[in-house]
Amino acid sequence: MEKLARKQVQQLTPYLSARRIGGTGDIWLNANESPYSNEYSPALNELNRYPECQPEELITAYASYAGVSADQVIATRGADEGIELLIRAYCEPGEDAILYCPPTYGMYAISAETIGVERKTVPLTDDWQLDLAAIRQSLDSVKVIFVCSPNNPTGNLVDQQDIKTLLEMTQNKAIVVIDEAYIDFSPESSVSELIRSYPNLAILRTLSKAFALAGLRCGFTLANQEIIGVLMKVIAPYPIPKPVAEIASEALSEAGRARTKRQVLDLNANKAYLQAGLSILDGVTVFDGWGNFLLVKFPAGDAVFKAAWNEGIILRNSPVEDCIRISVGSREECERTLSFLRSYLES
Ligand SMILES: *Cc1c(COP(=O)(O)O)cnc(C)c1O
């Protein structure tokens, strides 16, 4: 039956997520998941009825958290669905293109490929910022531009003035999508307030990282009302299951937000601990990171990755040479990882 599939689809290789790569271990620091497993007990009644397409309580709660108005929010099945909706809504397959700046998150390319939309890449500069001159030269037929900040896997923030320049350069031509999946770890660096000034700005958010709800599959796109209206045309009729809306609303309640804030503080402290411990090791460079992960350069990254893997410490190798991405786990996970790496490198 494979031959019956669209040609594009026959040629696809599925996204190699951390989950699909597998491995056996007791320390999982490869998917930027939260180490906190918070408990919820959603009401499970009235499941005979379809849910609201955009559960009002959830939308209001996220708008309040993000400091935007309710008509500037659409809830999706994870931020990943937001990526797909933006491409499907704005790019004509076979005609239009998306543009992104590697090294960065893999799903922009995968979604475009699945939909049959051309991908253009303009690599980040040596200090992982936007190469605005090269982007300007590559804008032909580009309808959606993805910029990830804090960037996965490098961890750095993208300069806000550059984001404004990009928004101006593309006004009336392309949507600029700022992927803020990790912004809850550095909330002061969000560009959400630019939504008021730039009609071509969209921002991706998720409950998967700081809110410790990767298993829930709940994300949001923030943008002006007009973009939200366009996305509403292509979203599925019932994307958010009732129990998902209930749990997400609880996570976004005052108490839920306070708990997330405490957990973010703890994880940022663990990140500082890991960074301090790793950076004093010979030949190791730790790049400053604004999310819940660090990109770390070793003398021989692949060997370190495999040695950790064999020890049951599952990290993520990265496209950046000799670099490994390490998610910030519990203090104990950070201690065990650090102590393994220290003894491995000193042996
Ligand atoms: C994890 C991640 C996402 C996807 O988040 P989900 O809400 O779990 O789909 C999007 N963008 C980046 C950069 C991520 O790292």
Side-chain angles (χ1 to χ4, degrees), residues 5 97 103 121 287 320:
T121 57
F287 298 100
V320 187

Side-chain angles (χ1 to χ4, degrees), residues 96-117:
D96 298 329
I98 67 156
L99 186 151
Y100 58 93
C101 305
T104 192
Y105 187 51
M107 281 307 291
Y108 316 134
I110 305 257
S111 285
E113 203 180 1
T114 312
I115 301 166
V117 165

Side-chain angles (χ1 to χ4, degrees), residues 128 154-155 275 285-290 293-297 320 323:
W128 294 327
T154 56
Q275 176 159 23
T285 306
V286 186
F287 298 100
D288 289 336
W290 275 262
F293 59 91
L294 287 169
L295 190 72
V296 186
K297 189 172 170 106
V320 187
C323 286

Side-chain angles (χ1 to χ4, degrees), residues 72-92:
Q72 296 172 325
V73 180
I74 183 171
T76 56
R77 290 168 284 207
D80 280 350
E81 190 187 27
I83 295 169
E84 193 191 307
L85 292 180
L86 283 156
I87 300 175
R88 276 207 287 131
Y90 282 95
C91 298
E92 202 73 69

Side-chain angles (χ1 to χ4, degrees), residues 103-332:
T104 192
Y105 187 51
M107 281 307 291
Y108 316 134
I110 305 257
S111 285
E113 203 180 1
T114 312
I115 301 166
V117 165
E118 191 198 337
R119 295 154 289 152
K120 294 193 177 186
T121 57
V122 175
L124 294 171
T125 60
D126 289 343
D127 53 352
W128 294 327
Q129 292 298 322
L130 299 177
D131 186 342
L132 288 170
I135 291 175
R136 194 190 295 276
Q137 297 303 310
S138 313
L139 286 178
D140 266 0
S141 72
V142 168
K143 295 288 281 295
V144 180
I145 300 171
F146 290 96
V147 173
C148 189
S149 180
N151 187 38
N152 177 5
T154 56
N156 64 294
L157 291 165
V158 174
D159 184 85
Q160 286 213 12
Q161 188 51 53
D162 286 355
I163 291 175
K164 287 186 196 165
T165 307
L166 180 62
L167 283 160
E168 276 149 28
M169 190 192 294
T170 54
Q171 197 117 211
N172 297 316
K173 286 194 219 122
I175 308 293
V176 174
V177 183
I178 307 297
D179 187 339
E180 292 190 341
Y182 298 98
I183 204 65
D184 316 274
F185 295 96
S186 312
E188 65 290 345
S189 299
S190 173
V191 293
S192 58
E193 78 285 358
L194 297 184
I195 287 174
R196 262 177 274 136
S197 337
Y198 295 96
N200 59 328
L201 170 62
I203 296 173
L204 296 169
R205 296 287 193 86
T206 180
L207 298 185
S208 294
K209 310 284 163 52
F211 280 90
L213 286 169
L216 192 66
R217 309 309 301 130
C218 185
F220 302 88
T221 302
L222 315 179
N224 69 63
Q225 212 178 345
E226 208 173 307
I227 294 181
I228 298 299
V230 170
L231 299 182
M232 283 298 291
K233 290 185 179 187
V234 294
I235 199 167
Y238 312 109
I240 311 292
K242 262 186 198 159
V244 170
E246 282 225 17
I247 291 169
S249 299
E250 196 181 327
L252 290 163
S253 68
E254 205 176 318
R257 280 160 63 169
R259 176 172 61 190
T260 292
K261 208 169 180 177
R262 286 195 300 276
Q263 294 177 350
V264 162
L265 281 174
D266 281 346
L267 290 172
N268 281 342
N270 293 354
K271 177 169 65 182
Y273 164 84
L274 199 57
Q275 176 159 23
L278 286 170
S279 50
I280 55 171
L281 300 177
D282 257 359
V284 174
T285 306
V286 186
F287 298 100
D288 289 336
W290 275 262
N292 63 337
F293 59 91
L294 287 169
L295 190 72
V296 186
K297 189 172 170 106
F298 294 94
D302 281 345
V304 175
F305 173 81
K306 283 188 192 115
W309 174 284
N310 292 334
E311 205 64 22
I313 300 175
I314 312 300
L315 311 176
R316 183 93 156 142
N317 37 20
S318 95
V320 187
E321 204 182 354
D322 283 324
C323 286
I324 296 178
R325 195 192 68 188
I326 305 178
S327 306
V328 176
S330 66
R331 182 56 72 111
E332 196 212 336

